[in-house]
Structure formats: C-alpha cells, structure tokens
Amino acid sequence: MRVIEHLVKTLRDSAIFNPEVQVAPSCILWPDKDRQWEAVIPRLQSELAELLVLGDYSPENRVGPAIWLRCVIAGRAPDVTLPADRVPVFYLPGVSRQDLRAIEDCPDLLKPLAELQYRGVIWSQANAKDWTIAAFLKSDQGSMSLDVAQDREAKNALQLALYRLLDEELELLKGKRLDKDYFNTLLTGGDPVRDLLQWLDLGDAFQTTRGDHEWKAFVEVCKSQLAFNPQADGVLAGASKLAMREGPWHSVWERYSEAPKRYPHIPSRIRQCKPPQLGIFDAPGEKLSGWPQWNEEQEKLLQDGLLALSHLPAHEARKRVLEIEKAHGPRRELVWAELGESPLALAVKHLALVAEVTKTSLAAGSVLDMQSGYAAQGWWADDAMLSALACVDKAVDVEGVTSAIRAIYLPWLEESARYLQQVISGSVYPGGRIAEAPAFYRVDGECVLFVDGLRFDAARRLSATLEASGYQVAEAMTWAALPSVTATGKAAVSPVRSKISGSDVCDDFEPGVAATGQSLKGGYHLKKLLSADNWKVLDRTDNGDGHGNAWCEFGDIDSEGHVRGWKLAKHIDPLLGEIAERIAALLAAGWTRIKVVTDHGWLLMPGKLPTIQMSKDLTDNKWGRCASIKPGASTNERLYPWFWNPNQQFALADGVGCYGKSVDYNHGGLSLQECLTLELIVTRGANASVRQAAEVTDIAWRGLRCTVAADGQYASLSLDIRTRAGDPTTSLVLCIKPLKDNGTASVVVENEELQGREAFLVLLSASGELVAEANTVIGGA
C-alpha cells in the first residue's frame, strides 16, 4: 500500500460510526492550522472525489467559502457533484480545531462551519491536536508507526518532499530511518549520486531544470553525505573531487565508471582541474587514474614505446611488447578505455598475442608440419594483428601499431613464407593440379556459397560467429589453386571444375570451358556450366527454395581489401557478419547445409609489403604477387606450374614481396596466409535460437552492485538484470556489461527503491538473444 492510499483510508475511516447508537456524520472536517498539507491537496483530490477545500470560490477545483460548503452538504450546490456513497471531506487550511470550538470568537467566514463539528467528525490526533505530517507518519495510534526524525531540518525536508513521499510503498518505509537525508534524497529523485553526476556533467544547466525545492534538497544531500556544497564550491571543485576518488567520492566514481557515456562533459571538466602532486611513495596508477590528463600521458608513452620497436631485432621487440602490455594493460579496466581514449592500451593486448605466437617459428619440418602448426596456433598471429589495427584511428596511433607489427610480425611472416616456398620447390604443392583434383561430391539440398578472399583466420571468426548462433560448423583445411588469385581459384572450388581447363597461351591465369575454350572471365560461362549441370545459380538476394543444389557468390572481403588496404582490419567483422546473415537466410529457406568455399587468402601489412623488381622484358603480366613469364625468357625466379595447365608456368614473388608497386594488401603468391584456407560445412544446430551453453554459477550483491560469475561458453555474452527475463524494456541496470575473460561481470541497479524486489539475471548474446537466466533478489536475500 502506498502512503497516499493509507492516508485516504485513514480519512475515510474517521467517518465510521455505530448505527445502533449514532447517526451518520454529515462531513469530515480536516483542520490544518499550519497549512502543512496544503501543497498536496490537489494531488489528494485526484484520489478523493469527496474532498473539498475551504477558500475562494472556484467550484471547478472543488474550492469555495464556508457557506458554499454548507450548501454542498445540503445538496444545494449544483456546480459540484459528490459521490453518493462517501462522506464529504472538508479541508480547512489555516484553521485549527480550536478555531472551530471557540464559537464566540470564530471569524465570520468560519461560522457557517462551526456547528458542523457536532454533526460531523473532526479528523485529528487522539489528543485532539491537528494532524501534522510528521505526527501522521510517526504515530502508532491508527497511523503508520514510522521512524521519523524530529529535528527541524528533517521536518523541513519532509515538508518539501511530501508530494514524492505520498507515492512511496509503506512496507518499504518501515524499518528505515526517515531523516533529512532520506527526504532530501526522495525530493531529488531518489538517486543523489546520479543527480551529482548530472550536475557535474551539465553544470549550471542542471539547476535550471530543477525547482527551488529540489535544488535546495540536492545541496543538502551533498553537504550531508559528501561534505561538499555544490552551491558554494562549484562544478570544477566537484570534478576534482570526483577524479581524486577519496572517501565517499569513491562510490561516486564507481557509479560514473558504470556508465561514463551518460555524462559526456565530465572528462572535459576534470581536464580543467590540476592533478595532485605525487608523493614519493604514491603509485601513479592508483593516485592519477581518475585524471584523463594522466591517461593521455600514458598513451603518449605507449606510443613512443611502440615506435621505438622499429630499431630492435624481432626477438627483442617481442620481449619489449610483452613488457609494455604488462605496464599498460591495466588501463583497459579504466573508464578512459570505455570512452575510447585508450586505443593503444586496447591494441597492445592484441600485439602481445602476436608477440607470443610469433615467438614460435613455422619455418621448420614438412609442409604438413607447417600446416599443423599454423592451424593450431599460427593463425592467431594474423587474427590478433587485424584486431590490433582495428583499435586505432588517429594517424599517430596507427603509426605506433604499424611500427610494432612490422617489428614483431613481418619477420615471422617473411620467414614462414620463404621456408614454405623453399620446401614446395623441392616437392609437390599440396594444392595439386586439376588432373589430381577429386570430383566434386554432390549432396542433395546443399548450397555452395563462394566467398572471395575468406582467409583462414577470417574463416575461423566466421565459424565462431555461426556456432555462437547455434549452428553446427564442420571445418576442413584446403590449399588454394596456384597462383592464389580469383581467376584461378574460384573455378577450382566450383562444382563444375572437371569441365574446366587452361589454355597453353593464357597469360592472365583465367581458365576456360574445356569443351569450347571459352574464357570464364566475367562469370557468364561459369554460370552457364553450373546451370547445365543442374546447379541453380542464386544472385545476392535470392535464397532459393532448398531443393536440388545451388551455387551463390557473396562477400566483399577481397574487393574491400584492395580498396581499403590495412583499413580492411576495421571492416572485417561487419563483412563477416553479413556473410553469417546470408548463411542463416539460406538455411532458413530450406537448404539442408551450406558449403562455404573460397579461392585464396591474402597478406596484409600496414606500411606496405616489401617490393621486388622484375624486368618488364621477362613478363607478359604481373599480378602483384605472381607473374607470367614470356616464352623463352630466362629468369632466376622460382617457377610454378599453373593449376589448370602444368605446361604453363609462372613466377611467384619471393617471401612476402610484391612485384612492382607496393601495397598494404595483396595475394597471388605462396604463403600460408594466401594458400591455406578453410572449407566450412554449416548445418542447423539442435536449437539454432540458443546461442551458447552457459550458466550463472555465482551471484554476489554488495549494496545495489551485483557481481555474477558464469561457466560454460560465456565468450561474448553480456549481463543484464530485468523484472521480466525476456523483455529488454524491463532492464533495471545502469549499463549492460559484457562478461570478462574470466566469466565475470558486474552491474549496478539504478534505483535504490528496488532493493528487496525479485528480479532475473540474464545472460545475452551479442544479438540480444537470451542464453541463460537466474532468479535473484535485488540487494541480496
């Protein structure tokens, strides 16, 4: 029951009588000498249709003089209609019970009401005193028996907060100390920390959005709980205290850290303040981490450290990167990282993984050994390199990350490519030739999805995304046809490859129809071959009907790489997301499985791949990493047979170099990154709507902060607290938080009035799907 409901009930109950010995009262008189209740009377009139007020004549507001109130009782007031089953209640502001009883001295304006004290009842305390607000809340004689402070400041705050107090739940008030802090907090919205942060963010504009009463209450709460006077001390003093995080301001900082993007101006206000001087025993990270100026200095130091790697040998550079990660990694937990002000601290996490992986060389053993080493761990270096680049935007940050990548990744990349080329030159390339290629195994209901440039690490990301959405994915390693360009590779993974061959005079690596010699350039004749072999050819928006077999092409990874260079790293995830959506749509259309194939991988190196010069007199055509040699020309370059016609040979650039103009992104040569690819078979899972198997294993409350631990496949999940598990609009937290690498996350419930309420902890996928839930009580049981 709310306070207002209890008040209404108490008023109405005062008219209860014993019909055996009494007659029904004609009215309930509510005297209020000090006008304590006057401000909330309009609110009460919405709950009490029988409530009328003594005052100047205004019948539309149920207000009128004493004689009019007498007319209402007598049924002679046509301008007002009262409920027939209710006793009228007359609120008398500025009038005490004694004023009515002293009939001889009663003012003329009140005399028409004087005799009603005998025909009606007076709503007052048992000691005949008027009901004050504090007395009504505190009294145990038919009232609420609440613990209300009796000092002057508490009573003043109660008076101001009364209209908010009316809507409070009575059960939640019991057991609480209702003092000035409570009432001031209630008046300011029930969340003084949020109000303080809004004031720090908005400055003077905050006060203009609050009434005088709310502003005064806000100031009083800050003075009482933080020993800080917003009115006298000002915004910058508050920003400085927030950054210092000392004493009670620590909890304010914690609250700010939960959702810093809600207060976009706070960092600039802190920048206007001067950080404290460090003592000889002070740890900078502990003392200054609340200051954006310090974080900026740390980013500059990190930037300088990364740039300095260019002067170190690879093994020393890797060691130094791991040291840098140890020093700067903790800054990823600070608010500045969430605000996007620590891009290098984020990037160095991935650079450290590159450093760890590239400690182990792939340049050893057989081709099969290299394949196993790369598939087990080596691809992480490629993936982490892309992730590091995706973290940075500013030119100076890109320069630092580029310096690190070239120092620790490029030598490893070059070494493995050279070794693979050396091993292949003395043996057979595992990608083989068309003559040894197995027949394409046709499965009814299968759709083959060709993705241009789906590199090994990108395929692993795609596989993880699909599995996270509940699909089953089977992976098979394959080697791209040589040279590793689309012209050669797409036809080699098509279902009609047995009907394709290469000409003896081809210099552009483009095969043709075996029966006619027609070139596959442009795709027309490839599609014609597919259709003739009963493969439906779907365009980018056609999902087909799930019957027979289909071929479709989707994904812009390779074209985006050629256009964007190293910036492909920032777009790879959205591109893979589009491919995942396409696969989901095809499965939803009825295809039993999707076979994802690709033509080649690629090399990506910020700051450009190395350049190799080759005389134009020796080549008919150069494709970055490969070149066709003119008939009869003599060259020292290693020559390799063309997949489609071994009589045709071509040169592949040494190591990871490029013929001619150097670029960030290229392919066509021989390296693990260009040639070792993944073929994916995607089918529906047992329940594709369930993203991951995860469960909540531990729930701990500290005030309104809830820390949760999860077990199982919790990667990429997020934590929320809701009143209805499946309804995102019922979220109670300041900010939904992703689970950390150790499976934990911490969120804060915004409204302290919800303490003790039952709720649901939910774990969500990146797309918002409900993965797991658990019951809890806000604040702990």
Side-chain angles (χ1 to χ4, degrees), residues 699-701 703 755-758 775-781:
I699 303 171
W701 285 93
Q755 189 156 352
R757 299 285 186 88
E758 293 184 352
N775 296 326
T776 189
V777 174
I778 296 174

Side-chain angles (χ1 to χ4, degrees), residues 668-724:
L670 180 55
S671 68
L672 291 165
Q673 286 73 17
E674 294 167 281
C675 298
L676 184 59
T677 62
L678 278 179
E679 179 182 279
L680 307 179
I681 301 294
V682 188
T683 56
R684 296 175 183 272
N687 187 353
S689 65
V690 177
R691 187 178 184 275
Q692 299 194 54
E695 63 174 335
V696 175
T697 58
D698 189 42
I699 303 171
W701 285 93
R702 186 176 179 182
L704 295 180
R705 179 186 294 277
C706 181
T707 300
V708 167
D711 197 9
Q713 301 179 39
Y714 52 73
S716 302
L717 298 185
S718 297
L719 171 66
D720 191 10
I721 298 178
R722 301 172 174 177
T723 56
R724 292 192 296 274

Side-chain angles (χ1 to χ4, degrees), residues 34 107 127 250 263 280 283-284 377 383 481 578 622 629 754 769:
D34 297 328
N127 60 8
H250 180 77
Y263 314 101
I280 59 174
Q377 186 175 357
D383 185 76
E578 292 175 357
K622 287 187 295 188
I629 305 299
L754 297 173
E769 293 175 298

Side-chain angles (χ1 to χ4, degrees), residues 594-662:
I594 309 301
K595 185 175 186 177
V596 182
V597 298
T598 192
D599 48 356
H600 57 75
W602 32 269
L603 297 174
L604 186 145
M605 180 56 56
K608 303 188 184 307
L609 292 159
T611 301
I612 298 174
Q613 297 302 323
M614 177 183 282
S615 172
K616 294 181 180 179
D617 297 334
L618 299 178
T619 63
D620 285 326
N621 201 345
K622 287 187 295 188
W623 285 37
R625 294 264 297 145
C626 59
S628 59
I629 305 299
K630 289 182 178 181
S634 177
T635 177
N636 292 325
E637 299 289 320
R638 287 196 182 104
L639 299 180
Y640 300 84
W642 185 27
F643 176 84
W644 294 106
N645 185 342
N647 296 322
Q648 284 279 79
Q649 293 189 319
F650 53 89
L652 296 183
D654 190 45
V656 293
C658 297
Y659 292 128
K661 183 180 179 181
S662 182

Side-chain angles (χ1 to χ4, degrees), residues 456-533:
F456 193 100
D457 54 318
R460 279 278 164 87
R461 285 197 194 188
L462 176 61
S463 179
T465 298
L466 292 167
E467 287 180 340
S469 296
Y471 299 103
Q472 291 184 346
V473 184
E475 300 177 354
M477 282 183 282
T478 61
W479 288 82
L482 288 183
S484 52
V485 293
T486 301
T488 289
K490 181 162 75 171
V493 297
S494 74
V496 292
R497 60 191 175 210
S498 61
K499 302 178 185 300
I500 299 169
S501 65
S503 167
D504 288 338
V505 295
C506 180
D507 64 0
D508 59 2
F509 315 117
E510 193 85 55
V513 180
T516 64
Q518 294 168 308
S519 173
L520 298 185
K521 187 177 291 185
Y524 171 76
H525 288 289
L526 177 61
K527 293 177 181 178
K528 191 174 179 180
L529 281 176
L530 288 163
S531 297
D533 200 38

Side-chain angles (χ1 to χ4, degrees), residues 107-289:
D108 292 341
L109 293 176
L110 288 179
K111 284 181 179 179
L113 300 178
E115 63 91 15
L116 291 179
Q117 62 185 303
Y118 305 111
R119 287 199 293 130
V121 295
I122 297 178
W123 187 59
S124 63
Q125 299 184 55
N127 60 8
K129 291 183 179 180
D130 295 349
W131 275 118
T132 64
I133 301 170
F136 180 73
L137 297 175
K138 189 175 180 63
S139 174
D140 57 1
Q141 297 181 11
S143 196
M144 292 189 281
S145 303
L146 299 177
D147 181 10
V148 182
Q150 295 299 298
D151 59 275
R152 181 178 57 83
E153 290 180 332
K155 291 179 178 179
N156 290 340
L158 169 59
Q159 179 78 59
L160 296 174
L162 179 59
Y163 74 98
R164 292 275 179 87
L165 185 67
L166 290 176
D167 288 311
E168 293 297 288
E169 291 287 339
L170 183 55
E171 286 302 314
L172 294 180
L173 295 177
K174 290 183 178 180
K176 287 186 177 180
R177 175 63 173 172
L178 307 185
D179 55 14
K180 65 171 184 175
D181 285 345
Y182 178 83
F183 296 126
N184 283 328
T185 298
L186 185 65
L187 183 59
T188 59
D191 193 341
V193 176
R194 179 195 61 197
D195 290 339
L196 176 59
L197 291 171
Q198 287 181 343
W199 172 69
L200 291 173
D201 184 58
L202 299 174
D204 292 341
F206 174 85
Q207 185 174 353
T208 62
T209 63
R210 299 294 193 272
D212 288 341
H213 293 331
E214 290 186 31
W215 171 252
K216 289 178 181 177
F218 168 67
V219 171
E220 290 301 317
V221 169
C222 290
K223 287 164 63 177
S224 175
Q225 298 185 9
L226 297 169
F228 174 76
N229 188 334
Q231 184 84 49
D233 299 334
V235 169
L236 293 185
S240 179
K241 287 182 175 293
L242 177 67
M244 292 293 291
R245 300 168 299 155
E246 295 178 344
W249 286 87
H250 180 77
S251 61
V252 180
W253 176 265
E254 288 293 309
R255 181 69 171 275
Y256 170 62
S257 299
E258 288 290 335
K261 293 179 181 178
R262 287 190 174 189
Y263 314 101
H265 301 110
I266 283 181
S268 61
R269 298 200 189 280
I270 297 176
R271 285 188 178 93
Q272 292 178 270
C273 307
K274 186 177 180 180
Q277 294 293 321
L278 292 178
I280 59 174
F281 299 110
D282 288 332
E286 297 178 4
K287 192 78 172 180
L288 298 177
S289 59

